[in-house]
Amino acid sequence: TKLEVAGTVLSARLALKHGLSLHVGGGTHHAHKDWGAGYTCINDLAVAARLMQKENLAERVLIVDCDVHQGDGTAEIFKEDQSVYTFSMHCAQNFPFGFNVKSLSYLGQDRSDLDIGLPQGCKDDEYMEELTTHLPRVIQEVKPDLILYIGGIDVWEGDALGKLSITEDGIFERDRFVVDLALQSGIPISCMIGGGYDQNRKRLAKRHSIVHRAAIEVWREYRGFEQTGKATHA
């Protein structure tokens, strides 16, 4: 857990230095201020955001959480903090929502600055319509110095815990859009892999690499444009 959190911190620093960074882990968004959840006890996004602020590397941080599960821990940690904006786009009929058992009634009570709850079975087109409608407006309004992005692959149509119906091409389109939007807006972005559940580890690892492949494609075009004045394609 500590290594994963340290990786997110390093990724944030590298993003601020170079404009883009990619982490092979991260996205432990269920961990709250006083208790752990979702397979972890430390919220890496919260730690990274706070350290970047403490080191005067960033004043305003935007957390863009596209994991299939709401970033409830992150929402709770920053609920009264206007310097960190929490954006969560997730399945509305999935964890942490829907627990009516008295002992678990505390779950699903946290609210992000913007929560976009998607219906079960949501497909690529509807997903991208919501993302492209809301995220550009949020970036324009928040004007962050840094974006911490969770590209969760548990939105995939075959994910064991997902409940959405997003294809791998849809995930690539999502990740590409987010990274491109950040770079075109002049905002450093650090990408975490988030959740994904598949007993076939090779398929899971390949799916987790989608955010890296999408980001590299955008970066090559972006740097090509910087150097030649016109976009180049990988």
Side-chain angles (χ1 to χ4, degrees):
T1 297
K2 290 182 179 179
L3 284 175
E4 186 171 29
V5 174
T8 300
V9 170
L10 175 60
S11 184
R13 289 197 177 112
L14 290 172
L16 287 163
K17 182 178 180 180
H18 300 289
L20 171 67
S21 66
L22 306 171
H23 188 5
V24 295
T28 56
H29 59 172
H30 293 307
H32 286 58
K33 186 181 298 183
D34 298 320
W35 48 278
Y39 314 115
T40 187
C41 58
I42 305 175
N43 190 307
D44 64 320
L45 303 157
V47 172
R50 273 288 178 264
L51 274 174
M52 297 309 102
Q53 292 176 328
K54 186 175 181 180
E55 295 174 2
N56 296 316
L57 296 175
E59 291 185 12
R60 288 185 61 77
V61 178
L62 169 60
I63 295 174
V64 178
D65 191 337
C66 287
D67 193 275
V68 81
H69 305 104
Q70 185 214 27
D72 56 334
T74 314
E76 184 264 340
I77 291 169
F78 295 116
K79 64 181 178 181
E80 296 177 354
D81 187 340
Q82 295 185 357
S83 70
V84 179
Y85 190 99
T86 53
F87 172 104
S88 181
M89 195 164 116
H90 49 265
C91 178
Q93 291 86 37
N94 208 328
F95 183 89
F97 306 109
F99 288 87
N100 297 319
V101 180
K102 188 175 181 180
S103 61
L104 297 175
S105 60
Y106 59 91
L107 291 173
Q109 302 302 311
D110 301 300
R111 296 292 176 264
S112 308
D113 291 305
L114 179 59
D115 281 309
I116 302 172
L118 301 169
Q120 189 168 333
C122 174
K123 298 183 182 299
D124 292 3
D125 290 346
E126 182 181 358
Y127 188 97
M128 287 305 300
E129 182 178 355
E130 291 289 340
L131 184 62
T132 57
T133 296
H134 295 287
L135 187 56
R137 174 182 58 80
V138 168
I139 287 178
Q140 186 175 20
E141 292 177 359
V142 176
K143 296 179 174 59
D145 302 305
L146 171 67
I147 294 175
L148 300 177
Y149 172 57
I150 304 179
I153 59 164
D154 43 11
V155 298
W156 178 59
E157 58 191 348
D159 190 89
L161 301 178
K163 297 186 179 180
L164 295 186
S165 298
I166 311 303
T167 65
E168 291 189 0
D169 287 342
I171 295 173
F172 185 94
E173 182 183 3
R174 176 201 66 183
D175 294 342
R176 197 186 194 291
F177 171 78
V178 173
V179 174
D180 185 58
L181 180 61
L183 294 181
Q184 293 299 333
S185 301
I187 303 168
I189 180 170
S190 169
C191 304
M192 276 61 70
I193 64 173
Y197 307 91
D198 190 330
Q199 291 185 349
N200 187 315
R201 294 186 178 182
K202 288 185 178 180
R203 291 190 312 188
L204 182 65
K206 184 175 181 181
R207 210 171 296 123
H208 271 309
S209 74
I210 291 176
V211 66
H212 300 86
R213 288 182 272 135
I216 289 169
E217 181 176 291
V218 174
W219 184 251
R220 285 174 175 167
E221 293 179 3
Y222 178 75
R223 292 308 300 268
F225 182 85
E226 274 192 334
Q227 295 166 8
T228 67
K230 61 181 179 179
T232 58
H233 298 272

